[in-house]
Amino acid sequence: MSKRITLILVVIFVLLTGLLPLLVMFARSIIVDGHISLDFYQGLLTSGREWTLMGHSFALSLLTALLTTIIGVPLGILFIKTDLPLRRLFTVLFTIPLLLPPYISAVSWFDLLGREGLLAQLMGPSVAYTTSSWLFGLPGCVLVLFSTFLPVVILLTMTYLKTINPRLEEAGMLVSSWPQVLKEITIPVIMPGVLLAAMLVFLLTLGEYGVPSFLRYDVFPVESFIQFSAFYNFGAATAAAVPLIIITFFVLIAERLFLRDKTYQIRTMSDSEQYSNIELGNSRNWLMAIVGLLCISIVVIPILVLVLQSFSVVAYKEALSRAGGSLLRSVSYAVIGASMLTVLGFFLGYLIHTRAFRFWRAVDSLTVFLFALSGTVIGIGLIGLWNRPLTNFIYATPAIIILGYLAQYTVLTSRITISTLAQIPPSMEEAAQVAGAGWFQRLSLIVAPLAMRGLFAAWLVAYIFCLRDMGITMLVYPPGHDTFPVRIFTLMANGSTELIAALCVILIIATLLPLGIAGMMLKLK
Amino acid sequence: MKFIEFKNVSKHYSGQSVLRDFSLEIDMGERIVILGPSGCGKTTVLRLLAGFIAPDSGQIIIGAQRVAAEGKIIIEPRARNLGMVFQDLALWPHLTVKGNLAFGLKAKGVPEKDRDQRIVEILRHMQMEAFIDSRPAELSGGQQQRVALARALILQPDVLLMDEPLSSLDLELNIILRKEILKLQQSIGFVLLYVTHDREEAFEIGSRIVVMKAGKIVQNASVEDIKDYYRKLSLNY
């Protein structure tokens, strides 16, 4: 009974934090002065600007998804299936941009290609004028978001390649060469995973606010944000957010209908099974050079530029004096958010893994949907729901930020929990059950300790996503409670280049430090 | 006439010895069954012969050619002219039965017309003609087994490797397929290297049985001698 009640409470909590704000937001957009009205939506359909925004949003999302897939899949294959030198280092380096708020990359590219950037100092203003006009607009947005979301495709490709039954490739190797096996067996078998990665990048780009806003490329999330924060026009902001909800919803439905059942043999390999290493032979060195060049161009140089720009004690002193409080707040909120997300994700993951309720799939889909949704949309929804005198204790406090984290990022911890639980034989819990242990005892004494490593990973991932969040926080933070990414973003308007670069470097350190410590701890163990 | 030879082959996985100083000779047309408990190294023997892994030391010879030696694969799997039926069959899930059979023929450059003819022929032989356009997931266990066998044989290999191919089937189907494999081997004449932990299966299929334990051969003799060996072993206990 305690199991059922607990899991029902968890589901209610997810509905309350994630779904209810969206429903309230939608209701408020169709009720004007106490009457049902579709004025905002009419405006949406008849306004030429909205169609332009739609075109921009689609162009940006499609181009980013296409580019990341075309480059990310071969990189994933190279990193997991070949003897490419430094492949582990490359994997880590390519992953870094995903761990940071995307606009940090935009800032670093701006410091490099902008009119007063490094390139301007090296090659003169005429070159910088061209690169700057190229950076501000669609190409610049695609470049920044490509470098940010490339690891999504690389990591998902690697994950799917790891879970492919190696016998399928060996059966091909008996009669054919690696290129043909890759082309006709490996890639078609992981195709659902590749499409899933492309779809995820499409949705994440569609919901991105920071980069298009910084690089002045008008898309729906920017419009939503402007309508809300500049004009406080809740209805118009919601109406601008609705297309994002609809597109996200239909893309996820398409994924469920066409991809979910096409996922072929997924299994984990034992050590003795890990053959399938492609020897690159003579191609090894030039492939490494190409991958290295790409890595240097889209990861190392942008970060290096930030470090170089911030290279002064004064800048760091100023950064800490102007944003030290925000940094502390950010880390505290991220720690609280990650801890709550880990607990929530654990119960939710358990519910989905054990299929405790008939509607487990709906719960899973809801969390995926909320993750894929723009942070701006969730932020507007949260304000719509909690901005009332009765709930001011939430709206006017950092609780609203934590609720935002819980609304958007639960899927990360629940999915990690699910894959962790899948590795624990059900007999472990059953043995405890036979021994007379209640559900909470089984969870706390058997399941959770066995899943500890996965839960730790879930906490880390959640911490990073909470720390880098800007879409939700930017809208919902109460006065005096801004987070570090928000402070950087607001300081961009009048802060010096050195100051902004120093702030970005501090954020990079705050994000990567726990990862480094965790990596070292795991190595020592 | 000697066709396959393992000469003092050793293999380690993650520091653990899986095969120790393994030597075995196999003649043309022989049916060798490797019998032993799980983890004794019998699958490793097949994977070494297929060329999926290289021996840490020792050498492997097929025909007159050294195919692998001292940590190196000299001849790639595809150039060894082997067929293999895997324990989990490893039928490509995204391809139809025809696609599964055509893959190897295409790789070998067989023209489309000949390809289709050979596919139809072998499927007829396996009584699977009606399922040519089915995907593996649409077939029963026995039908999948036949497709895996057809895929392994369609390129007319010199050697057929079978890694516990019948272990997941019910007894009745297991017995039927044993007889079919035997019939095929006798009519085509390939070398059969068959791995199992089932004694009854081994006695029926093998012309010679190699008993393995902890990476070493403990018995290498005719079926009758092995039966005798087990009889004595059970009397001793």
Side-chain angles (χ1 to χ4, degrees):
Chain A
M1 198 60 188
S2 59
K3 173 180 167 182
R4 214 178 153 71
I5 291 171
T6 309
L7 294 180
I8 285 177
L9 286 176
V10 166
V11 174
I12 291 173
F13 186 76
V14 172
L15 294 176
L16 203 69
T17 52
L19 190 62
L20 195 60
L22 297 183
L23 294 177
V24 169
M25 178 178 83
F26 181 69
R28 283 187 65 173
S29 75
I30 56 168
I31 298 171
V32 182
D33 300 329
H35 301 287
I36 290 179
S37 160
L38 294 175
D39 283 356
F40 290 121
Y41 293 93
Q42 238 165 9
L44 190 75
L45 290 171
T46 50
S47 150
R49 176 168 165 73
E50 305 302 329
W51 289 107
T52 309
L53 289 176
M54 179 77 86
H56 282 189
S57 284
F58 261 95
L60 178 60
S61 304
L62 278 175
L63 282 173
T64 309
L66 201 69
L67 203 61
T68 49
T69 309
I70 289 170
I71 310 278
V73 172
L75 286 178
I77 292 172
L78 278 173
F79 295 163
I80 199 82
K81 293 205 81 71
T82 71
D83 57 350
L84 185 86
L86 306 176
R87 55 192 182 279
R88 280 202 184 140
L89 176 70
F90 283 136
T91 311
V92 173
L93 286 176
F94 274 112
T95 308
I96 290 174
L98 182 66
L99 308 178
L100 308 170
Y103 76 84
I104 297 282
S105 294
V107 173
S108 57
W109 281 106
F110 174 68
D111 285 353
L112 181 67
L113 304 177
R115 284 191 197 177
E116 287 162 20
L118 215 62
L119 206 71
Q121 291 166 28
L122 292 172
M123 303 182 78
S126 62
V127 175
Y129 180 80
T130 314
T131 53
S132 173
S133 57
W134 180 82
L135 182 67
F136 282 88
L138 182 63
C141 284
V142 172
L143 169 74
V144 173
L145 293 174
F146 159 73
S147 67
T148 301
F149 296 132
L150 181 65
V152 172
V153 180
I154 295 177
L155 295 176
L156 272 176
T157 303
M158 288 170 73
T159 306
Y160 272 79
L161 285 172
K162 266 195 218 169
T163 52
I164 225 181
N165 177 357
R167 306 287 162 262
L168 296 177
E169 290 169 328
E170 286 174 359
M173 290 301 291
L174 277 175
V175 291
S176 187
S177 59
W178 260 120
Q180 202 178 350
V181 170
L182 281 177
K183 191 177 130 210
E184 292 192 31
I185 296 169
T186 312
I187 294 175
V189 170
I190 63 157
M191 193 46 86
V194 171
L195 292 175
L196 178 73
M199 186 202 79
L200 208 56
V201 171
F202 177 88
L203 290 177
L204 290 172
T205 309
L206 194 71
E208 174 58 28
Y209 160 75
V211 174
S213 166
F214 181 73
L215 296 177
R216 291 169 213 153
Y217 187 65
D218 288 340
V219 288
F220 269 118
V222 178
E223 175 74 1
S224 241
F225 186 83
I226 292 170
Q227 286 293 347
F228 185 80
S229 58
F231 306 110
Y232 204 72
N233 188 342
F234 196 89
T238 305
V242 163
L244 293 176
I245 300 177
I246 294 171
I247 295 164
T248 307
F249 182 75
F250 280 108
V251 171
L252 290 176
I253 291 280
E255 187 266 338
R256 185 124 291 181
L257 288 177
F258 301 113
L259 295 183
R260 195 57 57 90
D261 295 333
K262 285 204 167 60
T263 304
Y264 302 114
Q265 307 198 16
I266 299 294
R267 62 204 284 276
T268 45
M269 287 192 290
S270 69
D271 276 352
S272 60
E273 282 182 314
Q274 303 212 348
Y275 168 71
S276 312
N277 203 13
I278 305 171
E279 285 174 15
L280 295 171
N282 294 335
S283 318
R284 222 169 154 241
N285 289 335
W286 67 260
L287 275 170
M288 187 185 71
I290 291 176
V291 175
L293 206 65
L294 181 70
C295 184
I296 288 170
S297 315
I298 66 169
V299 181
V300 180
I301 289 182
I303 292 177
L304 213 63
V305 167
L306 279 180
V307 175
L308 286 176
Q309 294 276 33
S310 68
F311 220 66
S312 92
V313 181
V314 180
Y316 280 96
K317 259 190 179 168
E318 195 188 346
L320 287 175
S321 77
R322 290 183 74 172
S326 306
L327 177 64
L328 280 179
R329 272 194 296 278
S330 253
V331 172
S332 330
Y333 299 163
V335 167
I336 295 168
S339 307
M340 290 181 74
L341 277 166
T342 308
V343 175
L344 184 64
F346 176 70
F347 283 109
L348 217 55
Y350 183 90
L351 183 159
I352 295 163
H353 174 69
T354 58
R355 302 182 178 191
F357 297 131
R358 227 183 287 167
F359 52 84
W360 64 271
R361 208 188 280 271
V363 177
D364 184 39
S365 301
L366 175 65
T367 57
V368 175
F369 173 68
L370 289 167
F371 178 70
L373 214 52
S374 168
T376 318
V377 176
I378 292 180
I380 295 173
L382 284 171
I383 294 166
L385 177 64
W386 300 107
N387 185 11
R388 295 152 205 276
L390 205 66
T391 52
N392 221 27
F393 66 98
I394 287 176
Y395 181 68
T397 64
I400 189 91
I401 298 175
I402 305 294
L403 279 181
Y405 295 159
L406 295 175
Q408 187 152 42
Y409 301 129
T410 304
V411 72
L412 297 171
T413 49
S414 72
R415 283 293 169 103
I416 294 172
T417 303
I418 292 166
S419 59
T420 307
L421 293 180
Q423 289 167 30
I424 301 171
S427 54
M428 297 282 172
E429 198 191 333
E430 285 162 4
Q433 196 172 9
V434 171
W439 185 62
F440 274 117
Q441 274 182 311
R442 297 198 306 266
L443 277 195
S444 56
L445 300 176
I446 306 293
V447 182
L450 287 172
M452 199 47 84
R453 221 180 149 101
L455 293 179
F456 180 56
W459 189 91
L460 265 183
V461 171
Y463 169 83
I464 288 165
F465 273 80
C466 291
L467 193 69
R468 80 196 270 283
D469 180 81
M470 205 186 66
I472 299 172
T473 325
M474 188 78 171
L475 277 167
V476 303
Y477 77 89
H481 292 282
D482 62 346
T483 59
F484 199 58
V486 171
R487 177 61 67 94
I488 299 176
F489 202 77
T490 45
L491 282 174
M492 273 179 198
N494 51 16
S496 68
T497 313
E498 293 79 20
L499 171 67
I500 303 303
L503 289 166
C504 290
V505 172
I506 292 171
L507 182 57
I508 292 172
I509 293 168
T511 310
L512 297 185
L513 201 64
L515 273 186
I517 294 170
M520 270 162 62
M521 274 166 62
L522 286 177
K523 232 180 186 178
L524 283 175
K525 266 199 169 180
Chain B
M1 195 182 142
K2 189 166 68 187
F3 187 66
I4 296 169
E5 193 176 0
F6 285 85
K7 273 187 179 174
N8 309 105
V9 170
S10 294
K11 182 74 192 168
H12 295 80
Y13 281 129
S14 325
Q16 277 206 326
S17 174
V18 188
L19 221 54
R20 283 182 287 173
D21 211 18
F22 181 91
S23 293
L24 178 68
E25 289 182 6
I26 302 170
D27 289 342
M28 292 276 275
E30 255 198 303
R31 295 191 309 275
I32 303 287
V33 175
I34 303 181
L35 182 65
S38 58
C40 72
K42 50 192 194 302
T43 297
T44 304
V45 174
L46 290 196
R47 294 168 60 74
L48 281 163
L49 191 61
F52 299 144
I53 45 175
D56 296 335
S57 60
Q59 50 181 301
I60 301 166
I61 296 161
I62 300 178
Q65 271 186 313
R66 226 158 52 112
V67 294
E70 316 297 340
K72 273 193 179 162
I73 288 173
I74 300 164
I75 307 273
E76 289 289 313
R78 67 193 149 116
R80 295 186 183 193
N81 200 25
L82 305 167
M84 185 161 179
V85 179
F86 296 84
Q87 187 172 10
D88 56 7
L89 306 180
L91 291 174
W92 299 308
H94 60 295
L95 300 177
T96 59
V97 168
K98 186 180 174 184
N100 267 274
L101 299 187
F103 181 83
L105 294 169
K106 241 194 303 185
K108 299 275 176 198
V110 177
E112 200 177 342
K113 205 176 148 195
D114 296 351
R115 231 188 282 161
D116 290 350
Q117 199 184 331
R118 277 168 75 169
I119 291 168
V120 171
E121 236 167 63
I122 200 156
L123 285 178
R124 194 178 300 145
H125 194 83
M126 299 280 179
Q127 296 164 356
M128 286 291 296
E129 225 181 333
F131 300 97
I132 190 162
D133 293 319
S134 306
R135 284 183 193 267
E138 295 160 2
L139 304 175
S140 69
Q143 288 165 341
Q144 289 185 3
Q145 201 70 240
R146 287 190 173 96
V147 176
L149 199 55
R151 187 179 68 180
L153 291 175
I154 198 159
L155 288 170
Q156 296 158 343
D158 297 324
V159 184
L160 179 63
L161 310 175
M162 300 188 90
D163 186 6
E164 306 215 33
L166 309 180
S167 59
S168 60
L169 300 179
D170 62 64
L171 187 62
E172 198 182 331
L173 196 57
N174 187 315
I175 291 168
I176 292 169
L177 283 168
R178 269 185 226 171
K179 295 203 185 306
E180 282 183 19
I181 292 166
L182 216 53
K183 222 163 82 181
L184 275 168
Q185 195 276 338
Q186 281 158 355
S187 67
I188 303 171
F190 50 79
V191 172
L192 177 63
L193 195 55
Y194 191 102
V195 157
T196 183
H197 63 269
D198 183 325
R199 247 187 279 170
E200 206 186 306
E201 205 174 299
F203 294 155
E204 187 165 348
I205 285 179
S207 58
R208 181 153 59 105
I209 294 178
V210 173
V211 182
M212 284 185 71
K213 199 175 168 187
K216 284 195 143 195
I217 295 177
V218 289
Q219 283 287 314
N220 178 1
S222 68
V223 175
E224 282 314 309
D225 288 347
I226 296 292
K227 278 183 180 172
D228 219 35
Y229 164 76
Y230 278 115
R231 213 172 293 134
K232 281 178 192 161
L233 205 66
S234 64
L235 279 177
N236 284 342
Y237 285 95

